[in-house]
Amino acid sequence: MPHASPARLDAAFLALADPTRRAILTRLTHGEATVMELAEPFAMSQPAVSRHLKVLEGAGLITRRAEGTRRHCRLSKAGVESIDQWLGLLRRALEANYDRLDEVLAGMDKPEDPK
Amino acid sequence: MSKMTLTTEGDRHILVTRRFAASPEAVYRAHTDPALIQKWLLGPDGWTMPSCEIDPRPGGSFRYEWANDKGAGFHLTGEFEALEPFSRIVHVERMFLPDRTPDNHVETRFEPDGSGTLMTMRMTLPDEATRKAMLSTGMEHGMEASYARLETMI
């Protein structure tokens, strides 16, 4: 079993399901950035970006620190590989789906109405 | 051992393949029959799909709703662009988390493979221009409130 708790995986999965948040993480792979710098390419207000950052922080993918009046964001250790991690979570969700589908198909193959 | 492959093509495409020990007709039906979809399209453990509405015709729409035992939930809506029984489904979908995420375009193919089926799913994720267009259409207001809800949910 993975060491991460299911709740944590759900949080990361939902956090990364949003393309804007994946784009923010991609930006942070180039290095630390302030909320203002992150908001700029998205034509979003700083409060709106802050909401995204809160979700990412809550999922453990970024860390934030204050320096004077500025807040700096950086990828956390868990967030460094987070795009791959998102793909990993997607892979796990799909694998779980298709394993269940195998069982559904096995049930369907049984002739329910023999002719 | 995993029967599934998941690879990326560039920044915008995800390619998934999976083999099934059933005919293309059966696998196709499991993708279009709501009673069957509700049994398997559930994602991570702990989630169920209490509601599944689907109109499997070109131009028809669908809506899936998931819930977990902690009272959290989200839904997805989509429209079918092409349905070719029992070989190909093209649809567009987006999630509501609860905010609407940009559209994902998905093509799913079912090909005979020995006595079973090879399924190939190609997902096209939105580009940056799409994301910017969405964000500049006044969604931001509603988003702030719903992100607050999402924060309490996760």
Side-chain angles (χ1 to χ4, degrees):
Chain A
M1 280 301 290
H3 43 273
S5 71
R8 194 67 155 181
L9 287 178
D10 271 0
F13 191 81
L14 289 174
L16 288 166
D18 184 294
T20 305
R21 290 196 284 270
R22 290 203 298 277
I24 289 172
L25 291 172
T26 306
R27 163 64 186 82
L28 289 175
T29 59
H30 301 306
E32 206 174 69
T34 63
V35 177
M36 204 189 297
E37 288 165 341
L38 290 171
E40 203 225 359
F42 295 106
M44 290 175 81
S45 69
Q46 286 190 38
V49 168
S50 292
R51 295 281 184 202
H52 282 298
L53 296 175
K54 243 178 157 176
V55 173
L56 290 169
E57 189 177 35
L61 301 177
I62 65 165
T63 57
R64 295 192 286 181
R65 65 179 179 84
E67 195 181 272
T69 57
R70 289 180 169 187
R71 303 210 64 184
H72 294 262
C73 307
R74 69 186 330 168
L75 285 176
S76 69
K77 202 178 167 193
V80 170
E81 301 287 332
S82 54
I83 298 297
D84 284 344
Q85 188 188 1
W86 179 75
L87 288 172
L89 292 165
L90 178 66
R91 177 194 296 274
R92 233 174 295 173
L94 290 174
E95 279 176 344
N97 281 350
Y98 295 139
D99 288 347
R100 279 187 294 261
L101 178 53
D102 281 337
E103 290 174 34
V104 170
L105 292 167
M108 283 168 71
D109 276 354
K110 286 176 202 142
E112 285 169 27
D113 49 343
K115 294 186 176 89
Chain B
M1 184 204 74
S2 172
K3 291 179 260 184
M4 197 187 86
T5 69
L6 186 151
T7 52
T8 52
E9 284 179 356
D11 286 342
R12 295 192 50 210
H13 303 286
I14 298 172
L15 202 67
V16 176
T17 68
R18 177 67 151 79
R19 287 183 165 73
F20 296 99
S23 67
E25 178 176 353
V27 182
Y28 180 96
R29 277 178 49 211
H31 279 77
T32 50
D33 178 332
L36 295 174
I37 289 171
Q38 280 178 296
K39 290 180 184 172
W40 68 269
L41 193 62
L42 305 174
D45 286 344
W47 291 82
T48 60
M49 191 191 288
S51 167
C52 178
E53 295 161 22
I54 182 165
D55 179 16
R57 293 179 302 179
S61 59
F62 55 91
R63 186 181 191 281
Y64 305 151
E65 197 175 314
W66 290 272
N68 72 4
D69 50 13
K70 285 168 270 175
F74 61 97
H75 71 276
L76 174 149
T77 67
E79 296 83 38
F80 292 108
E81 292 179 359
L83 283 154
E84 296 167 23
F86 301 101
S87 60
R88 184 170 171 259
I89 300 172
V90 182
H91 74 267
V92 62
E93 66 178 30
R94 78 286 307 175
M95 289 201 270
F96 292 80
L97 296 168
D99 304 301
R100 180 184 172 131
T101 65
D103 285 0
N104 286 340
H105 198 266
V106 184
E107 179 178 25
T108 314
R109 289 176 176 274
F110 310 94
E111 297 167 70
D113 180 55
S115 59
T117 300
L118 171 65
M119 188 202 75
T120 307
M121 181 167 69
R122 189 168 189 267
M123 295 188 256
T124 303
L125 304 173
D127 59 16
E128 197 182 341
T130 309
R131 294 195 295 265
K132 276 189 183 174
M134 290 189 62
L135 291 168
S136 60
T137 51
M139 287 181 60
E140 205 173 277
H141 228 68
M143 279 173 60
E144 298 209 8
S146 43
Y147 275 115
R149 286 199 298 277
L150 179 62
E151 282 154 23
T152 61
M153 194 173 105
I154 64 176

